[in-house]
Amino acid sequence: MKEYLARDFVVTLPAADYIARFRDADRIAGYCRTCPNYGQSWGCPPFDFDAEEYIGGYATALLVATRITPAAPGLPLTAARRLILPERERLESRLLDMESRWGGRAFAYVGSCLHCPEGSCTRPEGKPCRHPDRVRPSLEACGFDIGRTTSELFGIELRWGSRGQMPEYLTLVCGFFHNATDVQWNG
Ligand code: SF4
């Protein structure tokens, strides 16, 4: 039996509305600066590009919230990474396929980069990324408020573990900004 159930929820809205209502760049950047990944991976801020320009010029924001519910309650918090990894691989691979099919801009889930062995990112040494064709920033890294995104657009409250145990479910959020007319998440 699979260890968890994953379900994708999709919301589409004008990109300008999403930016106006859910981007709070200065406040979210303050959270990023306290994260141990800050400046340690090419997928995390600070960036060598202007985030406002990076997210601009797109008509539509397609957002995906993936809810991962463990099959059995009471899993240790340390199991979260094991449950999240295959879903991140699935989501990131689909997002990159969408970019190549429709153009646009993919935003991956926040967290350590998937594309090199842990602890081997080139950024701390100031060397170029090994896989720039595959690394995408998260929506958070571009200043979006993910807690409000999930609660107000998806009706999903983020949950956190406590006393070493995983919460009732985990939520991953990714997105795709584009100018196409026929984009479908499952298409
Ligand atoms: S692909 Fe490798 S070098 Fe590039 S950001 Fe990820 S871990 Fe760092």
Side-chain angles (χ1 to χ4, degrees):
M1 188 177 96
K2 207 169 173 189
E3 223 180 351
Y4 64 89
L5 177 72
R7 185 168 168 203
D8 295 342
F9 298 87
V10 180
V11 165
T12 298
L13 74 167
D17 284 3
Y18 184 52
I19 293 168
R21 291 171 52 201
F22 291 91
R23 188 161 185 260
D24 189 350
D26 289 345
R27 182 171 58 86
I28 305 294
Y31 301 150
C32 283
R33 281 193 287 274
T34 67
C35 172
N37 287 335
Y38 186 78
Q40 298 301 303
S41 156
W42 293 112
C44 291
F47 295 124
D48 58 2
F49 56 82
D50 183 272
E52 210 151 319
E53 279 175 26
Y54 189 82
I55 63 174
Y58 297 102
T60 305
L62 180 152
L63 306 171
V64 183
T66 301
R67 193 172 61 198
I68 300 173
T69 309
L75 278 183
L77 204 47
T78 49
R81 193 181 164 88
R82 187 173 75 238
L83 271 54
I84 287 172
L85 182 64
E87 294 307 312
R88 280 189 66 189
E89 289 172 343
R90 174 180 68 86
L91 295 164
E92 292 197 19
S93 153
R94 185 176 295 184
L95 287 165
L96 293 178
D97 285 350
M98 290 171 82
E99 267 189 3
S100 51
R101 182 166 171 192
W102 286 296
R105 198 73 97 184
F107 298 86
Y109 169 72
V110 68
S112 54
C113 183
L114 294 178
H115 306 295
C116 292
E118 199 173 343
S120 71
C121 185
T122 54
R123 186 164 184 181
E125 300 164 28
K127 293 188 179 154
C129 177
R130 294 185 191 98
H131 304 289
D133 53 322
R134 286 193 258 161
V135 176
R136 297 294 179 274
S138 66
L139 288 163
E140 287 99 321
C142 293
F144 291 97
D145 184 330
I146 294 305
R148 280 190 51 231
T149 297
T150 61
S151 66
E152 294 180 29
L153 295 179
F154 292 91
I156 298 174
E157 297 298 331
L158 296 181
R159 295 267 191 264
W160 310 102
S162 68
R163 290 191 285 273
Q165 290 208 326
M166 267 183 38
E168 171 196 351
Y169 57 83
L170 304 163
T171 310
L172 313 183
V173 179
C174 61
F176 181 59
F177 286 16
H178 65 86
N179 288 318
T181 52
D182 55 344
V183 172
Q184 291 180 7
W185 177 242
N186 291 313

